[in-house]
């Protein structure tokens, strides 16, 4: 029984990671991820310099998940780049980690990626095309022309492994159109999905919203979004070039949730809301539960089941 996953030329002990934005703001949190049972981890989506993010409260746990409008709080790219470069020197034999960037403009995205290209970072970079929680800014991935323009400019100079994090899509025509764009580029992976944007949760006792930014509108995560996440993983797995891997994110709370993402075609799995609620001990539990399901079903490796979802 093995949960080993091959990704980007490396083998990871298991497919589990944190979702960018959760348990990765500080070096202390990144160290905890590194020392956990997770197969790998990703840094907080970085901008050029430190961002305080949106006013609090900006995250709220609800019975079936979470709602947040964080506003990209982060320590700036140098903080995270120095961390991953130091880790490379101190752990030369470890599988490389993932580095997330999310510029507030096309120009900033290009500059962030140029900095990574010019550095000694040997891992995989994730370009966040889905930031639904920044007031006044649309999600890049919902502007198909902009998505194509950015990727065209990026791959003129960026030669390291690059993946993109996508918001959810809800229409077959959009799956088709976005896949046609993504297939034009040598992407390492597509991450499906970021939070479902602009939900609203109400506290009936106080008759108010539960987060401060955007009059209470925020991205939904957790159990709420799993069916949407699974649909996006499956839709892109069946449309993208086989060389483009899928990272499944959204609603992973149990080993069964992980199994479902893998069945839809995911190669690695990111955990957000439930990691926030449980802490890094969740990875040990998920690993155990996934192995139990695979053993019960007679699967000895993840490759035996990945993408094998049946239709009726």
């Amino acid at each position: 029984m093995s949960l080993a996953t091959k990704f980007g030329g490396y083998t990871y002990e298991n497919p589990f990671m944190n979702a960018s934005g959760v348990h990765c703001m500080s070096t202390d949190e990144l160290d905890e991820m590194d020392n956990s049972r997770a197969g790998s981890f990703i840094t907080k989506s970085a901008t050029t310099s430190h961002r305080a993010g949106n006013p609090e409260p900006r995250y709220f746990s609800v019975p079936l998940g979470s709602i947040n409008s964080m506003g990209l709080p982060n320590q700036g790219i140098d903080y995270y780049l120095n961390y991953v470069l130091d880790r490379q020197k101190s752990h030369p034999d470890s599988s490389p980690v993932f580095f997330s960037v999310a510029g507030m403009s096309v120009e900033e995205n290009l500059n962030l990626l140029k900095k990574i290209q010019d550095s000694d970072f040997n891992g995989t970079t994730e370009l966040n095309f889905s930031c639904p929680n920044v007031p006044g800014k649309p999600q890049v991935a919902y502007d198909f022309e902009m998505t194509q323009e950015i990727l065209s400019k990026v791959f003129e100079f960026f030669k390291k492994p690059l993946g993109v994090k996508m918001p959810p899509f809800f229409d077959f025509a959009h799956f088709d159109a976005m896949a046609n764009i993504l297939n034009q580029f040598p992407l390492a992976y597509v991450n499906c999905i970021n939070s479902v944007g602009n939900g609203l949760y109400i506290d009936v006792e106080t008759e108010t919203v539960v987060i401060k930014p955007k009059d209470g509108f925020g991205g939904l995560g957790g159990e709420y979004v799993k069916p949407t996440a699974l649909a996006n993983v499956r839709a892109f797995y069946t449309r993208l070039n086989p060389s483009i891997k899928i990272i499944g994110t959204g609603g992973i709370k149990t080993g069964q949730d992980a199994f479902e993402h893998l069945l839809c075609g995911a190669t690695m799995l990111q955990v957000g809301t439930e990691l926030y609620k449980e802490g890094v001990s969740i990875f040990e539990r998920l690993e155990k539960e996934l192995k139990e399901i695979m053993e019960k079903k007679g699967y000895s490796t993840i490759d035996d089941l990945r993408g094998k979802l049946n239709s009726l």
Side-chain angles (χ1 to χ4, degrees), residues 87-152:
R87 182 185 179 275
Q88 280 178 200
K89 292 175 185 173
S90 60
H91 299 72
D93 298 324
S94 294
S95 298
V97 299
F98 293 71
F99 194 97
S100 178
V101 295
M104 306 299 289
S105 66
V106 175
E107 184 180 15
E108 185 177 12
N109 276 324
L110 295 176
N111 288 335
L112 291 166
L113 291 173
K114 284 174 183 173
K115 187 157 199 166
I116 294 171
Q117 177 64 37
D118 293 340
S119 76
D120 293 328
F121 177 59
N122 67 359
T124 302
T125 303
E126 179 170 283
L127 178 57
N128 191 342
F129 275 165
S130 171
C131 296
N133 307 321
V134 180
K137 299 287 184 180
Q139 296 196 45
V140 170
Y142 286 158
D143 183 334
F144 288 36
E145 289 181 7
M146 177 69 73
T147 299
Q148 176 136 16
E149 178 189 337
I150 292 176
L151 289 174
S152 296

Side-chain angles (χ1 to χ4, degrees), residues 32-88:
E32 287 181 11
M33 280 301 308
D34 202 7
N35 293 320
S36 74
R37 286 298 305 161
S40 188
F41 64 92
I42 188 167
T43 61
K44 185 79 176 69
S45 292
T47 50
T48 305
S49 52
H50 172 271
R51 277 179 63 89
N54 290 340
E56 297 184 356
R58 56 194 184 186
Y59 179 99
F60 193 82
S61 290
V62 298
L64 291 177
S66 62
I67 183 169
N68 82 86
S69 180
M70 301 299 290
L72 277 176
N74 74 95
Q75 307 286 359
I77 187 172
D78 290 341
Y79 179 91
Y80 302 106
L81 196 53
N82 289 338
Y83 176 86
V84 296
L85 293 176
D86 287 345
R87 182 185 179 275
Q88 280 178 200

Side-chain angles (χ1 to χ4, degrees), residues 153-219:
K153 290 180 177 177
V154 165
F155 283 107
E156 287 177 5
F157 66 88
F158 199 80
K159 306 304 178 188
K160 297 181 177 183
L162 181 75
V164 289
K165 184 163 190 179
M166 306 301 280
F169 295 93
F170 304 96
D171 193 290
F172 273 40
H174 293 159
F175 290 138
D176 292 340
M178 182 52 69
N180 286 339
I181 293 170
L182 299 176
N183 277 331
Q184 296 173 34
F185 301 97
L187 289 164
Y189 71 88
V190 172
N191 187 346
C192 305
I193 57 170
N194 205 334
S195 56
V196 173
N198 294 322
L200 191 69
Y201 194 87
I202 294 169
D203 182 333
V204 174
E205 291 300 313
T206 60
E207 300 180 17
T208 63
V209 299
V210 295
I211 56 174
K212 186 176 180 67
K214 294 167 62 176
D215 294 322
F217 284 72

